[in-house]
């Protein structure tokens, strides 16, 4: 799927939330550093974190690989909004 450990954790947490709630979608907050967005971040002191909503859609016919792929795609899509 080309993802990371974070991709696997986001997929797993989304799956747990969706199955527990009985919904096909789960939305939860993902905390990001945001330092890559500010050119002067290396010289800055302080907290530059932000939390963005992250949506995982779980389909009954989906596989783990398709879920990981969808989560990775969503992570890449959300990156400009960090």
């Amino acid at each position: 799927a080309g993802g990371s450990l974070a991709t696997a954790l986001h997929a797993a947490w989304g799956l747990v939330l969706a199955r527990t709630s009985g919904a096909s979608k789960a939305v939860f907050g993902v905390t990001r550093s945001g330092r890559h967005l500010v050119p002067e971040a290396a010289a800055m002191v302080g907290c530059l974190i932000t939390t963005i909503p992250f949506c995982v859609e779980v389909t009954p016919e989906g596989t783990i690989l398709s879920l990981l792929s969808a989560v990775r795609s969503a992570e890449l899509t959300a990156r400009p909004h960090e």
Side-chain angles (χ1 to χ4, degrees), residues 2 5 14 18 24 29 31 39 45-46 50 53 59 62 67 73:
L5 177 59
S24 63
T31 303
V45 176
T50 187
T59 58
L67 177 62
S73 178

Side-chain angles (χ1 to χ4, degrees), residues 10-63:
H10 293 154
W13 187 236
L15 185 59
V16 167
L17 291 176
R19 295 282 166 88
T20 302
S21 68
S24 63
K25 287 185 182 180
V27 179
F28 52 93
V30 176
T31 303
R32 301 300 209 177
S33 73
R35 286 196 171 264
H36 67 280
L37 298 174
V38 181
E40 305 85 25
M44 296 175 95
V45 176
C47 186
L48 297 176
I49 64 171
T50 187
T51 302
I52 59 172
F54 192 78
C55 181
V56 175
E57 186 166 1
V58 178
T59 58
E61 65 277 351
T63 64

